[in-house]
Every structure is written in C-alpha cells, then in structure tokens.
Amino acid sequence: NNHVKHSGMRSFLVVLPASLVAGDIYLHAPRGSNNKLNEVSNNAQNQARLFDSQNNAAGGYQVGDNCDPVCSNANGQYDANTPGAGEGQMYYYEGSLLHIDWTIQHGCGSGQGNVKCNVVLQYMCEDSAPGLRDGKTTSRVPATPEGEADPQYGLHEPLSWYKDCSIRERNRGLYTADQNLGGTRNRAINTRQNPNGDRRGLECPEERDYYPYWHPTPWRDIAVLTDDLSRCGFYQSHSQNVRDYGQCCDKEYHSITNGKCIQPLNEDPNQGGPNNIGECQSANNNGLWVESGRWNTWTPRCEATPFSRDNHLGNAASAKGGGGDPMTDAPHFTWRVPGEVLNAMRAQEATCVLRIRYNISTADYDGWNGLDGSSATSDAVTSVFNGVNAKIMNNPTADFVGFSTNPEAQTAYPLKLNVNTAQFGRVFEDRSHTFKIKRLPSNNPCGIGRIHNLNVRGRRGNIVQVYPAVEYDFVPTRLEAHEGDCIHFQWTGSDANPTGNAGNGRRMTDRINVVELGSTARLGLNKPAKHGYRDVSNGVLRYTSYSSMFSDEATVRKMAYIGQDVRCVNGTCVPSLRCDDNSNDENSVNNCKELNAAPGYFDGGLVRMDRPGSFSYTSTRNNDFSNRSQKATIVVHPWKVALAIGGGAAGILFLAVCILLTRRHVERYPDKKVAKMRVVQQTLGFCDFCGRRLETSFLVRYPYTLALLGLCGMLYAIGFWMALGDSDPAPTYGHAKGFGRMLDVLCNVIFFPVLRNMTSWLRTTPVGRVLPLDATLYFHKVIGMLIAVATIGHIAMHYVRFNWQASSGSGETVVGQAIGRWTGISGHLIALCMLLMFFTAAERFRRRKWGKIGGHSIFVRVHKLWIPVLLLLWFHSRSFWHYSLFPTLLLILDKLIGRMRGKEPLTLVSAKSPAKDVLHLSFKLASGRRFKFRAGQYLFLQCPAISTTEWHPFTISSSPWERTFSVHIRSRSDMDWTHALRKVLLPEGGVKQKAMPARASLEEKYQRSQGAAMRQLPKGAAGNVPADTAIQVGGHHLYVDGPYGTASEEVFHFSVLILVAAGMGVTPFASILKTLAYQAKNDMLETPLKKVSFYWTCRDQAEFNSFKDIMEGICTDPYLGRMFDLNTYLTGELNLKSISASEKYHQFAGRPNWSRIGKKIGDEYPDDDVGVFLCGPAAIGTQLAAMCKTMNPVAVDTRSSVADRRTSRLDVHKRPRKFVFHRENF
C-alpha cells in the first residue's frame, strides 16, 4: 500500500442523528474558548475563527480582561480598546498541578453502554507555533504571511502547518463511507468529516480527526483517556512525545534552509503532494523523507475515561466503571504543568494553548475489529468499506424490520434512518484561550512543597443563559493539599458578558473573591467566618490567625477584597481611595462591596498552606442562595507531626543500634583505641545506669498499664489528626475529637475485663499466659479512670469550642450549641450516667451504709446504667459503632452463655457459723450430677429475698474431690448483704440446718451409685456449673452463677509454691491445700510437687480456728507433712494464755519477713520456678511483688575475660529461676 494507513482513533461506529447534533465537548478549566473572543453575546460569532469545534456556538467563555477597573466606555458598553482588554491571561508555574475540567454532551466511560469514546488532551506552545495569540478580532486569520503576522487576528497553528496540509495528499487508506472525496478532493484538508476542505483557522482537518497522527505535529501529548485500557500500549508507543514521524520535504528547500521542511508538490497538479516514503523519494518527485518531531518527553498518561451519561451535560461518576459513585466535579484530569518547553526555548516563560478532543461512536459495532461485525481487514475499519462497498449510506431507506409481503397494502413498509456518514466516528474539540507557562520565582515560598492551581470556571448568567457553559464555580471544588504546599490563587473573567445576563454586581462583569465560611464551615451554611483582626478597643475580640487557612491578615484581606483598596504600580502599592462604603449602586465602580472596583483578572500569587484542616470558602458576590452557589473546600493534610514522630523513632533506633555495635566492639577488642575513648566509656556507663533505672521503673513494673496509656495517646493523636480534615476551624475542635476517639475505644474496652466466661476460657489457653488476667478488676478501674479523664477533656474542649463560635459571630449561644442538637442532649445524658456510676463505684461509697440501704446495693443498681449509656453512645457518635460492634456482640454472647447454663435446684447440706462473723454454707446438686469446678475458682450468689439485682462473688473453699461444695462468707453487721444472708439462713444464730429428707434420700442414692468413683475424679474434671441455679432453704431461694477462674488455678503448674492468705483470704487456699494433699497422696499431681509453704495471717485466734482443721488434717499425714510447710501469723492483740501451740504447724506473732522467706526458699530450690500466690490486701501484694523482683536474678555473663568471650558463647538457652507472683482479684 503506497498510502499511509490510518492507525489512530479507530472506533468509527454508527452515530444516530440525535447524538450527532449535540455530542459536544466543552472545556471549562482552563477557560475554554469554543472560538469565542470578546463578543458581547452568548454565542460565538465566528465558529471558524481558530479551529473546528463542531460544538454548539453557545458554549465557551470570552477571553479574560484586566482593565482597571472595567473595560467599558462612558456609556457602560464593552470597549475592546480599553487598556487591559483581552489581557487577563492566566499563567501556571512549571511543575504545578492544574485541574483540567470539561463536560461532554453525549457521555463517555468504560461502563457507558451507549457509546464508545476516547478523550485526548494536548498542548502547543510558541516554540512550535510562533506568534501564538488570542487576537483582537473575531475574524478568521487570512492564510497569508501578512495575516499570520497581524496581531489583530487570533493564531494557533502556524501558516506553514496549514500550507503543508493543503498540499499533501490525504491518507487514502482511511474509511470515508460514501462521502464524495473523489477528483480534486484528495488533500489532507479533505476528510470524511470535512469533505469540502473548509478552512477553520489554520488547523489541519486530517490531523484534527485522527490520533495518533502519522506526520509530525506542533502538539505535545498530555493524556489519552480511553474506554479500553488494553489500547494504552498502542497510544503511548505511537505518541510523538517518544517517537519521530516522517514527512516528505522539498529537497532543495531543506538544503538551503539548513533543515527546514515544506511539503513538495506532486508532478501531477491534480494530485496531492507525496505522503509516504515511496512516492516522496520517487524520481518524479525528488523529495526527501525526513523522520522528525520527537519531543523527547514523558509518554502521555493513559487512563480510563470518567463515566458520564449521554445527553446529560455535566453528570459524571467515577472512572472505575459504569454508574460509579457520583463525583462532585465534572470529568477532569490533573495535569502537572511541564517545564520542557521553557528548556527547549531557554526562556523564563512561554505562551501555550491547550486542546481537548472527544472521539465518539455508538456501540453498534467495533471499528477496531471490522465494520458491522465483518472483519475485512486485520486492524481497523479502512477504505475497504468506502464508496459502493460502504455498509451504511447517507439516510438509508429499507424494510429494516422485515415485514411479510402484503400486496393489498401497496407498500413495502420502508423506514428511513437519519444517518450522516460524515459523522461516523465523530470528533469534537475545544481549546483554551492562550496561557503562559512560567518558571518558578526565585523567592518561591513553597520549598519542596507542591503547587496547586486554584481557578474559577463559569460566566455571568443563569443556567439557561450560559448553557452549555456553566455558572460560577471554583476549580477544583475540593482541593486537597499537604502542609507546606502552595496554592496559586488565580482567576480571570470578562467584562463582555451580554447585558441581560443575570448576576450580581456591575452588569456584564465577572468578579470573584475568596472568603472563608463561618464557624461550622459546612458548605450548606453561608455566613463568612469572623477572624477578629480588630483591636479589643473596637469591641471585637482579637483572635490569632490560626482560625483562618491563611497565615496573616494581609492575605485574608487580599483574597476577600481582591486588591480594591490598593493600587500597585511596579511593585509599589498605595491606597486606591476608590471604595465608597455607602454606595448601594450595583453598577458603580466605587461599590467595593460588590467587587466592582476590581479588574476581571486576579492573581493572588503563591500562598503557602501551613495550617492543617478543612476550610470551606465562598465568593460573596456570586453566592446568591436559590439563584447560584459558588462555594468550595480546601483540605490541608498534616505531615510534619508524623514526620517528626517517625524521624524521632528512626533516630532513636539508629542511636540504639550504634550503641549496641559499639558495646560489642568494646567487649571484643578492649585494647583498641575505641574502647579507651572517654566519650565511649561515659556513653556506655550512662546506658548501663539507664538500664538499671529501667529495671525498677514504672515501665517494667506495669507494662500493660503503660501499653494502655500508649493506646490512649495514639487514639487521641488519630482523632486529632482526622479532625483536621473536618470543616470546623475552632481551635479546640481537634482536641475534642481526640478525646472523643479515646472514648470510642475505651467505652468498649472497659467491658473486656468483666466478661467472666471469656476470661475463664482464656485461662485455659496459651493466651492466658500473656494477658494480665490476674488483674482484670484493676484494669477495669484504670479504664474507668481514663474514661473519666477523656470525658472531662471531651466536654471541656467542646464547651470552649462553643464559646469560641458564639464569640466569633456564629449567631448561636453556648447553651444552644450544647443542648440544641441531639448530639449535645445525648452527650450530657451520657456524662450524667457516667458521673453516677463513677461516684457510686468508689470503695468508700460502696462500704458505707445508710440505715437499711447499703452503698453496695446502690452501686449495683447504678452500675446497670451501662446499658442506656451504651445505647446512647451508638446514637451519639457516628463512628462509635465501628468500634462497638464486635465488643457488643462479645458482651451479648458472654451474657447468653451465662443464661444458657440453665437453672437447677440445689440442696443446702449445712449452714453454720464456725467463727464470729463467718458463715459456712455447703451445697449439693439435687439432680445427682457432680458440681464441677477447679480448686481456687469462685462463684456468685444471689438471694432474691435480699435483692433481685445483687450478685456477690465468693471463693469455693472445698475441694473438687469432696462430695459437697462449700463457701465461707464474712458476715459482719456493717456488711449489708452478707449480714442479711446470715439472718435469712441462720435466724437463730449458729444453728446448723440439715437438708430436707426427700433430697437427702436422693443424695444417699447418688453416693451409693457413685461409690469410690466419686472420690477419684480424673485430672481436669473441673468445669462449668449451671448458672442461676435455684436453692430453697426454709422457703428462701438462692441462685448460683459459676464457677469462674482465678489466678489461683495456676498453682498446679508449679513444683514449689508460696501461698499467702490474709483473714478470709484463706478460702481459695483451703480448697487448694485439700486438693494438693489429695493429689499428692493419690499420685495425681499435674506437676511433681516438691514444696508447699503456706502463710496465713490472722487478726485473732477465733478467725484462725475456723480453718484450723484443714492444716491439722494435712500435717497428721507423715508423707504430706514433709511436703507441706504450714505457718500462721497472728497480727492482732494477743492473749498469750489463750493460745494453744501445736507441733503440727508453725505459729508466729507479728508479720512475716518476706525477704527472709523468699531467700530461704530460693536457696533451697535454686533451679525451680516458685509460684507465689496471694489472696489478701494490696499492702501485702506490694511486699510480695518486691520480694519476687529481688529474687529474680538477671542473666549475667560469667565468662571472666575477653579471651573467654571470644572463644565461648553465652548459653542463652539456660533460663534463670523465677519467682512468679499471682494475686487474687474478683
């Protein structure tokens, strides 16, 4: 084939007439011209002025004006001769980000089932188009050297480009359907869309209609947006950005002009000039084929076209697929403005123009794979389907439906399709007015930050008057930047809008300013924010500038008043004195309220954004509710804090690694120079000192508490960080959200320590060895304290915010903001409930009694408020459910497990008082099933006769191998519930109550059926008990919930034990001692037992006597006596005559010396871990914890010399003995 084949915009499909007439594309930002200049009309006067748009003439925007203050004559009419008329030219800094914004009439996008489309973005600058300009007249430039040089005419492509196109033969391999392109219609200006070769500006029609073009062009590629991303490789590899294209040059002209090229004529004057290498270099033509044009820049970006509906101008959605989430913007593309043209020209600035082309076809068939489903060629639809072979003709008429023949009807049922084959695979185009690309200024305030361009689209008029252009809007409507980035505030407008177009301010003019919105700064609100820059003496509070997104008052004033108050010449500014504050004439140039004293062009310069946050703003002139809305948002994301934290952490890690490597070097080479350096010795010594301090610090003693505090700090930081993206400028808003984020998590975490079933289950898993399950009550209290702190902070910060907003002119009072919305009402209810729960949970309150009402009873009832608090939190905070869903489900599951255990009657075997203020209860299951539990576990009791809401925990004091299970309960007169229980069960004092006969007989049957098996349960026989189990004693019911696990269960994992009990704290160890004794005697120990040292501190002999029989039972057995060391300490006032000493166990007066005891046991068992268990007050716990820490040795390197360290390695696998401390909490 001697002709260049088309390989560009290939989707050439049938387009029906409705879509052909209005398939337009309109460029809105940068300001698209659609061939308009400065005509005072909604329509372009000359659609052939610069290019062939094929758009509706009503689209586009007039060129920007920069008159001071308005381009009009004495009669108020637009005057193009006014200085500054047509000179409101935009400019963009190299490397800045420019938001390109457009609308498409006939839709586009990969999910668009009605059409197939491509969008191509390109730009051209004066290096390839000398004389590039907008011009001063709407007349088309003459295709002559004089016309090209006349600045009155607008000029895009150079004259030489059009001359070559008008001479060069068209590509005869292209699909032209049945269009008449025969005879002399054989030039590149004759195309299927432009068969007559009509001239529009100096554009080449063939290049306009096809992409990529097969000859060098003056256009650089920006991006190709396609509905088929599989073609991206083709588009990018064929872009002139990265490859040369050939053209035929006149050999003689090329030689004498040192490489310049003009298209040679064909020897046949009726034929076009050669367009391929074969014809170019033929003997007859004697041309030179030259490959050139490569721009040597990046390949164009290739992305999916944003989705938009057909025949719904402006509706858009995400580019990820059809019908995606709605976008707040029209289809757009963000372009990083390149500086390559400046480098090519070696200039500080260059004039350029941007164009967007839109290729569209219907989905009837795919032009890439053959026409109408038949593939006659290996690639695109080509000339095979031209002329008589055209599959579809202009306005075809036929029986398309295929009706049956009916001679009587005298018709063949023909239908006509309104088809214009010139518009198969149609291309629409729009171009911007000229703009400049500039180098960054030497005083660039942005540093390494990015530059974002914030511009304006739209023109004066209502939607009917401006359509298919748009009303005023900021571009982009939501600009997202980071700390340290700059925003270039710049826009241009025209003074040549039609007189009758609706709008505010002086007629015919476009004027825009930037004013931040009020306190809540939501786009639905319209009152500007008051920053309070005036002095206090003027009656306005003075706030610092952090309430604004701008750093100083001068910038705020500049953006709001757009320079009306000053007049600047050559960098020197003086007051303009032109503003008349009393003027209400909308057309007066002195009415600064309406922005009439400002030019149509405004350059706010580069503004560095140093305050993170979300800032909504408006244009006061054009934000006219119910008529038009011009509002937008700037979001400044923080990064400096994150960088500081990350950098600090990296620095600490680097320093630690350096110190570690230095220490290793010193140990390995002690005689080297580094080891003897004083600074090294001092640094390592300081590190050793810090290490020793760390071992005794809060960090090591309470790692989980610190982890919890660290979590709170992290949550606060996250909440504060996320609030910076919200639209509330109040200084304390971020702090309120930080505390709120803490509450979101803490109000859910607080439930975990009290999930008894889950905690008991975790004790049976390896996780139980990692989590602090022994301190669940402690952590419940700590989390409660943190919730109280976070609640106070959250409320305080919000009230400071309310006061700030009220004094900033928001129009709302503090009270109105606090309780005028549901969030305020629910928040105050939550705070009230929390205050009641926190106050009644105090130990001093719980132990008090007011007549018959005890503090604990009040505490239990008030603590039920957690249910309404949880419900209120779900509706108070929109994000709370994200954190609460799983914990709430876990809480419900834990409660359901307790309920599902069922209710079963129990038999009270005995109720007695073995000592003063002590109640001993023994039970059996009436059903005959064994009550399964492990030694050291506890249960909850409830007596509805006393209270239907109170459940009280008591440790099981019996062994699992006994036939009954029992509890010992302290029942002093100051204890409301337990003392009441004593009165219910022992109304006559210490009288023992036997079981009812019927149940006793049932129990006898059970004992006989079980026999010895009852006394020898297998290991791990303990388990769960039916919850809420009913007991009836003398007409009274008791309920039991349990058992639940405690730290005491871990005793079976140690071979050496120290058991410490204080007073009634002996109850779990009573069960444990019995169980250990039984296991040791019957060879059933889970861990070989070497030594059990039991220490029991009592206040008097009577308290000791209640469990005296347990110790004597163990000590009477010679085998157990060697293994069990029983010690009692009487700490109260003693009557020595009343004490009867026993040789079976040790008796002491006073308090134990835990250091001595720990050292003695540690010396006796140096290789065994020692389990230390306490059920008693916190004071003893502190002493035992200190003893354990003292007795836990630190691994020491015993290699005596450096030589030993070089030749041997430390045995890291040998773990030192540990004293492991467990404390009972429930």
Side-chain angles (χ1 to χ4, degrees):
N1 191 340
N2 291 327
H3 297 284
V4 179
K5 287 188 176 181
H6 162 61
S7 57
M9 289 185 171
R10 302 187 177 191
S11 300
F12 299 126
L13 311 180
V14 176
V15 183
L16 299 180
S19 59
L20 296 178
V21 173
D24 313 357
I25 185 168
Y26 300 98
L27 183 65
H28 301 294
R31 196 175 174 92
S33 73
N34 196 38
N35 277 307
K36 280 184 180 175
L37 182 63
N38 54 9
E39 49 265 61
V40 184
S41 170
N42 287 319
N43 294 330
Q45 290 184 2
N46 187 354
Q47 282 288 69
R49 189 175 74 91
L50 291 170
F51 57 94
D52 180 12
S53 73
Q54 298 209 7
N55 292 331
N56 190 305
Y61 305 88
Q62 286 87 347
V63 70
D65 292 316
N66 193 21
C67 299
D68 186 15
V70 64
C71 303
S72 63
N73 57 26
N75 297 323
Q77 301 300 316
Y78 180 76
D79 185 357
N81 296 316
T82 305
E87 297 179 6
Q89 187 183 50
M90 302 282 285
Y91 71 92
Y92 309 105
Y93 287 114
E94 60 173 330
S96 64
L97 300 177
L98 178 63
H99 188 96
I100 301 174
D101 184 291
W102 65 91
T103 50
I104 293 174
Q105 170 64 21
H106 203 65
C108 200
S110 58
Q112 242 289 5
N114 294 336
V115 299
K116 292 182 178 295
C117 66
N118 298 297
V119 173
V120 178
L121 291 164
Q122 295 174 299
Y123 74 106
M124 177 176 65
C125 297
E126 55 186 315
D127 62 332
S128 60
L132 179 66
R133 59 184 178 268
D134 292 316
K136 297 291 185 179
T137 177
T138 58
S139 300
R140 184 182 64 177
V141 58
T144 63
E146 293 78 15
E148 182 184 34
D150 190 341
Q152 292 297 312
Y153 297 106
L155 182 70
H156 283 186
E157 288 92 345
L159 177 62
S160 60
W161 166 254
Y162 179 76
K163 288 293 187 183
D164 287 347
C165 178
S166 64
I167 296 172
R168 186 171 55 245
E169 183 181 15
R170 69 179 177 84
N171 186 340
R172 293 183 181 270
L174 298 175
Y175 169 65
T176 60
D178 61 348
Q179 293 295 306
N180 180 16
L181 292 175
T184 58
R185 295 184 175 186
N186 55 13
R187 306 298 198 271
I189 60 174
N190 304 112
T191 66
R192 180 174 49 80
Q193 287 189 239
N194 187 38
N196 295 326
D198 295 333
R199 180 170 71 87
R200 295 169 177 86
L202 297 177
E203 183 178 46
C204 178
E206 188 179 64
E207 184 273 337
R208 173 200 177 280
D209 292 352
Y210 299 98
Y211 177 87
Y213 194 50
W214 39 88
H215 297 300
T217 82
W219 295 93
R220 290 175 169 90
D221 296 334
I222 297 174
V224 179
L225 310 179
T226 177
D227 56 9
D228 187 352
L229 293 177
S230 65
R231 300 173 190 164
C232 284
F234 169 80
Y235 290 132
Q236 291 177 322
S237 63
H238 286 75
S239 168
Q240 192 177 317
N241 286 9
V242 296
R243 61 160 292 178
D244 289 318
Y245 278 99
Q247 62 180 331
C248 190
C249 300
D250 184 283
K251 183 179 294 187
E252 182 179 355
Y253 183 83
H254 187 273
S255 175
I256 65 176
T257 59
N258 196 23
K260 293 184 179 180
C261 182
I262 61 172
Q263 175 71 43
L265 300 174
N266 194 295
E267 60 174 346
D268 183 353
N270 293 321
Q271 301 295 323
N275 66 0
N276 61 77
I277 188 172
E279 291 186 359
C280 179
Q281 297 181 347
S282 67
N284 294 329
N285 290 319
N286 194 27
L288 178 66
W289 189 258
V290 177
E291 297 277 345
S292 64
R294 178 173 178 170
W295 295 114
N296 291 316
T297 185
W298 300 101
T299 59
R301 283 167 57 184
C302 185
E303 300 177 358
T305 50
F307 176 88
S308 59
R309 294 176 60 193
D310 53 327
N311 294 328
H312 289 78
L313 181 63
N315 287 11
S318 123
K320 296 181 180 179
D325 295 333
M327 298 170 65
T328 56
D329 294 324
H332 61 269
F333 178 86
T334 302
W335 178 37
R336 185 180 292 276
V337 179
E340 60 209 31
V341 63
L342 304 178
N343 299 330
M345 297 176 59
R346 298 183 179 179
Q348 294 298 308
E349 61 180 39
T351 301
C352 303
V353 65
L354 183 144
R355 80 169 172 179
I356 183 169
R357 287 184 288 166
Y358 166 51
N359 164 237
I360 182 179
S361 55
T362 68
D364 294 292
Y365 50 79
D366 189 352
W368 281 74
N369 299 310
L371 188 63
D372 200 18
S374 60
S375 181
T377 59
S378 59
D379 51 2
V381 174
T382 63
S383 58
V384 173
F385 301 101
N386 291 347
V388 296
N389 296 320
K391 293 292 183 180
I392 297 180
M393 305 293 184
N394 265 327
N395 300 324
T397 300
D399 176 11
F400 294 103
V401 179
F403 292 109
S404 59
T405 304
N406 184 1
E408 297 180 358
Q410 297 183 357
T411 180
Y413 300 102
L415 294 173
K416 176 184 174 181
L417 297 182
N418 299 310
V419 172
N420 182 352
T421 56
Q423 299 178 343
F424 282 13
R426 195 176 182 188
V427 175
F428 298 87
E429 178 184 14
D430 199 1
R431 298 186 184 183
S432 70
H433 296 289
T434 61
F435 59 88
K436 288 186 181 295
I437 296 178
K438 290 187 177 184
R439 293 199 184 278
L440 286 169
S442 57
N443 59 346
N444 170 27
C446 315
I448 62 173
R450 296 183 299 176
I451 297 175
H452 305 264
N453 289 287
L454 191 144
N455 309 133
V456 172
R457 70 175 190 172
R459 63 187 179 94
R460 186 185 184 96
N462 59 42
I463 188 61
V464 175
Q465 293 165 337
V466 303
Y467 183 86
V470 297
E471 296 184 78
Y472 298 116
D473 203 1
F474 290 103
V475 177
T477 55
R478 180 181 174 89
L479 192 156
E480 300 204 18
H482 290 83
E483 278 184 285
D485 286 356
C486 282
I487 296 179
H488 187 188
F489 290 84
Q490 182 191 198
W491 47 82
T492 191
S494 173
D495 295 337
N497 291 286
T499 305
N501 280 19
N504 304 92
R506 185 179 175 88
R507 64 191 181 95
M508 304 175 64
T509 62
D510 300 318
R511 298 295 185 268
I512 293 95
N513 64 343
V514 166
V515 175
E516 292 174 71
L517 289 174
S519 57
T520 54
R522 292 193 296 269
L523 287 178
L525 303 181
N526 300 279
K527 190 171 183 178
K530 178 178 286 186
H531 300 303
Y533 290 110
R534 296 183 182 178
D535 295 333
V536 178
S537 58
N538 291 331
V540 178
L541 292 177
R542 184 177 181 85
Y543 302 109
T544 55
S545 60
Y546 60 66
S547 61
S548 169
M549 61 179 166
F550 304 118
S551 59
D552 55 79
E553 182 183 1
T555 306
V556 176
R557 180 184 290 112
K558 180 180 182 181
M559 295 299 170
Y561 233 54
I562 55 175
Q564 298 178 101
D565 56 331
V566 296
R567 177 172 292 179
C568 300
V569 178
N570 297 326
T572 302
C573 299
V574 296
S576 65
L577 304 178
R578 64 169 46 151
C579 294
D580 182 359
D581 292 351
N582 297 318
S583 174
N584 293 316
D585 183 358
E586 281 203 343
N587 290 305
S588 170
V589 295
N590 297 321
N591 187 347
C592 293
K593 298 190 290 290
E594 296 283 1
L595 310 181
N596 292 345
Y601 172 78
F602 173 75
D603 180 14
L606 295 176
V607 178
R608 182 182 172 97
M609 309 304 290
D610 286 322
R611 181 178 178 238
S614 179
F615 309 94
S616 294
Y617 59 96
T618 186
S619 171
T620 56
R621 189 199 218 203
N622 304 317
N623 191 44
D624 186 356
F625 180 69
S626 81
N627 293 313
R628 60 196 55 87
S629 174
Q630 187 179 2
K631 292 181 284 189
T633 302
I634 294 174
V635 178
V636 181
H637 297 285
W639 61 269
K640 294 181 180 179
V641 175
L643 180 63
I645 294 174
I652 293 173
L653 179 62
F654 176 76
L655 183 62
V657 171
C658 291
I659 292 174
L660 180 64
L661 294 177
T662 303
R663 180 180 294 279
R664 179 177 296 181
H665 180 82
V666 169
E667 291 178 351
R668 185 168 295 180
Y669 307 105
D671 299 328
K672 295 290 185 178
K673 182 178 179 180
V674 173
K676 297 180 180 179
M677 293 176 63
R678 184 176 182 182
V679 63
V680 172
Q681 294 175 351
Q682 290 178 341
T683 301
L684 295 180
F686 178 75
C687 291
D688 291 339
F689 169 76
C690 292
R692 290 190 298 269
R693 298 290 295 178
L694 182 63
E695 290 179 358
T696 60
S697 68
F698 186 83
L699 181 65
V700 174
R701 292 170 59 194
Y702 304 103
Y704 291 101
T705 304
L706 277 181
L708 189 61
L709 294 175
L711 173 65
C712 291
M714 182 180 68
L715 291 171
Y716 177 86
I718 292 173
F720 184 86
W721 186 304
M722 294 181 67
L724 296 177
D726 292 341
S727 54
D728 195 317
T732 59
Y733 178 76
H735 300 289
K737 288 298 181 181
F739 286 118
R741 189 70 56 172
M742 287 175 58
L743 290 171
D744 282 343
V745 176
L746 291 176
C747 288
N748 289 288
V749 174
I750 195 170
F751 292 114
F752 284 93
V754 293
L755 296 179
R756 295 193 291 263
N757 291 288
M758 186 186 74
T759 305
S760 296
W761 172 73
L762 286 175
R763 289 184 183 277
T764 65
T765 67
V767 178
R769 302 180 182 180
V770 179
L771 296 178
L773 299 180
D774 298 344
T776 53
L777 185 60
Y778 165 76
F779 278 103
H780 185 70
K781 294 178 180 178
V782 170
I783 296 171
M785 293 290 295
L786 292 174
I787 288 176
V789 172
T791 301
I792 294 172
H794 183 67
I795 295 174
M797 293 300 102
H798 269 309
Y799 266 96
V800 174
R801 168 175 165 253
F802 297 154
N803 182 68
W804 187 90
Q805 292 175 349
S807 58
S808 297
S810 66
E812 293 183 278
T813 64
V814 173
V815 176
Q817 295 177 81
I819 60 175
R821 300 180 180 90
W822 165 249
T823 52
I825 296 172
S826 59
H828 284 84
L829 289 175
I830 292 168
L832 177 61
C833 293
M834 286 184 173
L835 178 64
L836 294 174
M837 287 193 291
F838 189 81
F839 178 72
T840 57
E843 186 173 358
R844 179 174 297 180
F845 182 91
R846 287 186 289 114
R847 294 193 179 279
R848 289 196 64 178
K849 191 174 182 180
W850 294 270
K852 295 183 179 181
I853 302 176
H856 190 275
S857 299
I858 299 175
F859 156 72
V860 170
R861 287 170 171 81
V862 171
H863 237 59
K864 297 292 183 181
L865 289 174
W866 69 265
I867 299 175
V869 167
L870 188 60
L871 292 175
L872 286 170
L873 283 169
W874 272 69
F875 295 99
H876 173 78
S877 170
R878 289 178 296 177
S879 61
F880 183 76
W881 72 272
H882 296 143
Y883 305 92
S884 183
L885 185 60
F886 174 72
T888 301
L889 292 175
L890 204 60
L891 178 63
I892 294 173
L893 179 63
D894 190 80
K895 296 296 183 183
L896 287 177
I897 290 174
R899 293 291 181 183
M900 289 172 63
R901 290 179 175 182
K903 295 183 178 180
E904 187 174 351
L906 298 181
T907 298
L908 179 66
V909 176
S910 66
K912 57 184 179 180
S913 180
K916 182 183 179 181
D917 300 331
V918 175
L919 181 64
H920 178 203
L921 304 179
S922 296
F923 310 102
K924 283 185 179 182
L925 290 176
S927 63
R929 295 190 305 106
R930 170 163 289 279
F931 183 78
K932 296 179 180 179
F933 64 96
R934 288 176 63 92
Q937 291 187 325
Y938 68 98
L939 51 75
F940 281 82
L941 286 179
Q942 184 206 45
C943 182
I946 303 173
S947 172
T948 58
T949 60
E950 295 187 41
W951 290 82
H952 292 262
F954 302 101
T955 305
I956 303 173
S957 56
S958 55
S959 170
W961 276 266
E962 295 183 52
R963 296 175 179 174
T964 62
F965 65 96
S966 60
V967 293
H968 285 70
I969 302 173
R970 187 179 296 279
S971 54
R972 296 195 308 265
S973 58
D974 61 331
M975 297 179 173
D976 55 344
W977 191 89
T978 56
H979 187 69
L981 180 66
R982 179 188 181 96
K983 289 183 176 180
V984 169
L985 299 182
L986 295 177
E988 300 179 7
V991 180
K992 179 179 178 181
Q993 295 190 357
K994 296 183 178 181
M996 293 185 295
R999 296 189 178 178
S1001 61
L1002 180 62
E1003 181 59 25
E1004 292 297 329
K1005 292 178 182 179
Y1006 173 74
Q1007 294 179 19
R1008 290 194 296 269
S1009 64
Q1010 295 298 314
M1014 185 176 178
R1015 294 185 299 273
Q1016 296 189 13
L1017 293 177
K1019 289 184 179 182
N1024 290 330
V1025 169
D1028 301 338
T1029 307
I1031 306 173
Q1032 185 172 0
V1033 181
H1036 300 286
H1037 291 275
L1038 291 178
Y1039 293 89
V1040 177
D1041 180 15
Y1044 295 103
T1046 67
S1048 301
E1049 295 179 56
E1050 301 294 321
V1051 296
F1052 301 102
H1053 300 152
F1054 293 91
S1055 58
V1056 180
L1057 293 168
I1058 298 178
L1059 309 180
V1060 181
M1064 285 298 294
V1066 72
T1067 52
F1069 299 124
S1071 175
I1072 290 170
L1073 288 172
K1074 294 176 186 178
T1075 303
L1076 286 174
Y1078 183 85
Q1079 289 179 343
K1081 194 169 183 179
N1082 294 277
D1083 195 22
M1084 298 171 60
L1085 289 167
E1086 298 180 24
T1087 302
L1089 195 60
K1090 296 182 180 179
K1091 187 70 173 180
V1092 178
S1093 296
F1094 175 62
Y1095 299 88
W1096 183 19
T1097 62
C1098 304
R1099 281 178 296 187
D1100 51 40
Q1101 185 72 25
E1103 188 175 56
F1104 166 72
N1105 291 336
S1106 60
F1107 288 94
K1108 177 180 178 181
D1109 57 331
I1110 298 175
M1111 292 184 290
E1112 291 183 345
I1114 294 173
C1115 294
T1116 53
D1117 191 310
Y1119 174 76
L1120 297 178
R1122 295 191 301 271
M1123 192 181 301
F1124 287 80
D1125 179 24
L1126 307 181
N1127 306 271
T1128 62
Y1129 288 79
L1130 298 180
T1131 60
E1133 184 177 314
L1134 299 179
N1135 183 356
L1136 296 178
K1137 294 182 179 180
S1138 64
I1139 297 177
S1140 57
S1142 174
E1143 298 178 355
K1144 301 173 184 178
Y1145 48 86
H1146 306 291
Q1147 291 180 284
F1148 300 92
R1151 304 182 184 277
N1153 186 334
W1154 299 118
S1155 299
R1156 177 188 61 78
I1157 293 171
K1159 186 176 185 307
K1160 176 184 176 183
I1161 295 178
D1163 293 341
E1164 291 180 2
Y1165 303 95
D1167 299 325
D1168 296 286
D1169 286 348
V1170 180
V1172 181
F1173 294 83
L1174 167 68
C1175 186
I1180 300 179
T1182 302
Q1183 298 170 13
L1184 289 174
M1187 181 267 287
C1188 291
K1189 183 171 180 60
T1190 303
M1191 296 306 301
N1192 287 335
V1194 179
V1196 179
D1197 189 354
T1198 57
R1199 296 170 292 178
S1200 58
S1201 65
V1202 175
D1204 292 338
R1205 295 175 182 173
R1206 291 178 182 175
T1207 57
S1208 64
R1209 301 187 65 179
L1210 183 65
D1211 185 5
V1212 297
H1213 298 288
K1214 185 176 180 181
R1215 185 176 62 83
R1217 178 211 63 220
K1218 292 179 65 177
F1219 275 62
V1220 183
F1221 179 54
H1222 298 270
R1223 183 183 174 187
E1224 193 82 19
N1225 283 285
F1226 58 82

